[in-house]
């Protein structure tokens, strides 16, 4: 389907950097990140969590390195991960040196927090020697004292000034492979800060509404904050911060991108809220289908509507559709066309099989097209 003018998002043109083998910025797809919450020294637990995030489609994962034991563990974690790892350093520059040597693709460190220019230069040298990017992460909750005194409270200008101060330290050390975040738990503050920053820098921007809350409240807040910025064309990589498992953050990240039509992954379910007209239990059916179709990464659409009021119309716009009918028999649509009926008790298994078959067919067609293009 072609992009209609009222759907078009003009993306801010940023400079592209590489985080491992993943491009961030420029015309690269907006990437989805998360962060592990296991002890980094628990190598197996951390790798298991990274696997679950990889299955959910994560592009880049951040891992905390608060001590030397963690940077030792990081080496094994980096080797096992299929996606680039960002080492979260915060204050101790030696952890940054160790993490760069351990194979981190990016260091999350604020150069203004680590002391002298000589230390910044050491970190930059280690990043350059190991092909690491750096992510500057300004946070409304931990702004520098002098900026708080100057501005009186965390405000967009203070976040931007902090970011520019950190950026200058990297530029003075002749380092340019960086991306920047100016996060705040207040989405109004974060959005205003990102908008101001986007006007004055050309580096990629890492978006986030920090400490957004639990799964539902945090998702809504992140969708408003991150979603608004992406809608304005601002943002090259995102991390949704939820008090929920990291793989949930990845799923929510993709849902934000999917809702804006920026990136697609997996099954996009169109479903009704249900009402007395429903021919089957829509809510339970959608729950089961979402759970059983989590493993599908091929972008395709599925409509699940309780009755014929809106069912045929939505089914026309989706790859596979099901609409509740009478007598425990429901209508199945394939590529928008009425195809066959299915009994109520067999419906979920049947739809899962149809989606899996459609995904396999689409993957095969894509592979064939790639082979043809290469010839
Ligand atoms: S599609 Fe049918 S069952 Fe679903 S909400 Fe609309 S009228 Fe109710």
């Amino acid at each position: 389907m072609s992009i209609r003018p009222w759907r078009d998002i003009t993306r801010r043109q940023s400079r592209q950097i590489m985080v491992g083998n993943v491009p961030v910025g420029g015309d690269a797809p907006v990437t989805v990140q998360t962060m592990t919450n296991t002890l980094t020294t628990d190598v197996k637990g951390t790798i298991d969590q990274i696997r679950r995030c990889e299955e959910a489609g994560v592009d880049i994962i951040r891992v905390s390195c608060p001590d030397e034991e963690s940077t030792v563990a990081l080496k094994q974690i980096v080797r096992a991960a299929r996606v680039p790892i960002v080492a979260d350093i915060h204050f101790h520059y030696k952890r940054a040196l160790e993490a760069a040597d351990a194979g981190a693709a990016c260091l999350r460190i604020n150069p203004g927090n680590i002391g002298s220019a000589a230390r910044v230069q050491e970190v930059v040298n280690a990043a350059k020697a190991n092909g690491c990017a750096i992510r500057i992460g300004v946070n409304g909750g931990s702004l520098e004292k002098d900026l708080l005194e100057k501005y009186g409270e965390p405000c967009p200008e203070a976040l931007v000034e902090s970011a520019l101060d950190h950026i200058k330290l990297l530029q003075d050390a002749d380092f340019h492979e960086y991306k920047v975040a100016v996060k705040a738990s207040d989405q109004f503050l974060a959005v205003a800060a990102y908008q101001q920053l986007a006007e004055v820098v050309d580096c990629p921007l890492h978006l986030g509404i920090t400490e957004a809350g639990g799964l539902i409240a945090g998702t809504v807040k992140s969708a408003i904050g991150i979603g608004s910025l992406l809608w304005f064309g601002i943002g090259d990589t995102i991390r949704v911060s939820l008090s929920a498992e990291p793989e949930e953050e990845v799923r929510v990240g993709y849902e934000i991108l999917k809702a804006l039509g920026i990136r697609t992954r997996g099954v996009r379910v169109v479903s009704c809220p249900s009402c007395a007209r429903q021919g089957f239990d829509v809510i339970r059916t959608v729950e089961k289908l979402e759970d059983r179709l989590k493993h599908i990464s091929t972008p395709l659409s599925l409509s699940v509507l309780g009755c014929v009021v809106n069912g045929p119309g939505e089914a026309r716009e989706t790859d596979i559709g099901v609409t509740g009918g009478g007598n425990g028999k429901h209508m199945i649509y394939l590529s928008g066309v009425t195809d066959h009926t299915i009994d109520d008790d067999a419906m979920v298994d049947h739809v899962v099989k149809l989606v899996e078959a459609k995904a396999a067919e689409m993957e095969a067609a894509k592979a064939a097209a790639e082979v043809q293009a290469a010839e």
Side-chain angles (χ1 to χ4, degrees):
M1 191 168 58
S2 64
I3 303 262
R4 293 165 194 159
W6 37 268
R7 279 211 182 132
D8 201 7
I9 294 175
T10 306
R11 190 165 163 200
R12 162 187 170 263
Q13 275 312 297
S14 60
R15 185 161 56 74
Q16 190 172 93
I17 67 164
M18 294 299 292
V19 175
N21 59 358
V22 175
V24 176
D27 58 2
V30 176
T31 42
V32 176
Q33 306 200 24
T34 187
M35 184 170 180
T36 53
N37 60 17
T38 48
L39 278 177
T40 304
T41 47
D42 173 8
V43 172
K44 186 182 177 309
T46 304
I47 292 170
D48 287 348
Q49 193 169 66
I50 288 173
R51 284 282 174 273
R52 291 194 290 278
C53 295
E54 287 170 344
E55 276 157 26
V58 76
D59 297 299
I60 297 168
I61 293 196
R62 183 156 47 120
V63 175
S64 282
C65 292
D67 46 37
E68 199 176 342
E69 292 72 32
S70 299
T71 52
V72 170
L74 188 73
K75 200 167 195 164
Q76 281 175 271
I77 294 166
V78 165
R79 247 188 256 130
R82 298 180 190 126
V83 295
I85 299 291
V86 180
D88 193 76
I89 305 297
H90 277 271
F91 300 108
H92 207 302
Y93 84 106
K94 284 216 164 133
R95 301 292 87 77
L97 306 182
E98 293 157 8
D101 283 341
C106 181
L107 307 172
R108 191 279 197 194
I109 190 165
N110 288 349
N113 293 349
I114 58 176
S116 64
R119 285 185 179 180
V120 174
Q121 191 64 58
E122 260 196 85
V123 170
V124 161
N125 292 347
K128 281 185 177 174
N130 291 283
C132 285
I134 290 181
R135 201 258 283 185
I136 292 169
V138 172
N139 192 311
S142 55
L143 268 177
E144 292 82 359
K145 212 166 148 234
D146 59 326
L147 289 173
L148 280 176
E149 277 165 14
K150 178 175 172 184
Y151 290 99
E153 61 174 358
C155 60
E157 292 74 19
L159 268 71
V160 170
E161 187 168 331
S162 173
L164 295 177
D165 289 346
H166 292 299
I167 288 171
K168 184 168 185 317
L169 290 171
L170 291 185
Q171 288 179 333
D172 288 350
D174 192 25
F175 191 83
H176 308 281
E177 290 292 295
Y178 57 84
K179 57 195 171 85
V180 181
V182 279
K183 297 185 183 180
S185 57
D186 176 330
Q187 69 274 22
F188 296 102
L189 171 55
V191 168
Y194 277 109
Q195 285 177 311
Q196 289 187 19
L197 188 64
E199 293 290 318
V200 292
V201 297
D202 68 350
C203 62
L205 296 181
H206 165 121
L207 304 186
I209 304 301
T210 195
E211 296 118 25
L215 185 58
I216 293 180
T219 295
V220 172
K221 206 168 162 184
S222 300
I224 291 170
I226 296 174
S228 301
L229 285 162
L230 291 169
W231 202 333
F232 297 144
I234 295 170
D236 302 288
T237 183
I238 66 171
R239 189 254 170 129
V240 175
S241 300
L242 302 175
S243 305
E245 294 306 323
E247 54 268 35
E248 296 296 345
E249 294 187 348
V250 177
R251 290 191 186 103
V252 172
Y254 271 106
E255 289 304 325
I256 293 172
L257 296 181
K258 284 197 275 189
L260 287 165
I262 289 175
R263 217 175 141 186
T264 54
R265 185 185 193 279
V267 183
R268 181 175 62 86
V269 177
V270 176
S271 60
C272 74
S274 78
C275 71
R277 290 194 183 91
Q278 64 184 347
F280 58 86
D281 185 341
V282 173
I283 294 173
R284 245 53 61 189
T285 300
V286 170
E287 275 173 7
K288 285 183 202 161
L289 287 170
E290 282 188 338
D291 186 52
R292 290 188 52 188
L293 295 172
K294 268 185 196 164
H295 64 292
I296 304 281
S297 59
T298 310
L300 57 83
S301 52
L302 166 69
S303 57
V304 184
L305 280 289
C307 77
V308 292
V309 170
N310 292 323
E314 293 293 353
R316 263 196 297 277
E317 303 292 325
T318 48
D319 295 302
I320 293 164
V322 53
T323 295
N327 305 325
K329 283 198 178 293
H330 313 303
M331 182 56 68
I332 299 286
Y333 303 75
L334 301 180
S335 302
V337 179
T338 309
D339 198 85
H340 58 276
T341 58
I342 185 76
D343 290 341
D344 193 61
D345 54 2
M347 183 175 67
V348 170
D349 286 343
H350 184 67
V351 172
V352 168
K353 277 193 195 130
L354 287 174
V355 172
E356 286 174 340
K358 181 74 184 172
E361 178 195 318
M362 290 166 80
E363 288 301 325
K366 191 174 146 202
E370 280 168 5
V371 168
Q372 205 171 22
E375 280 170 1

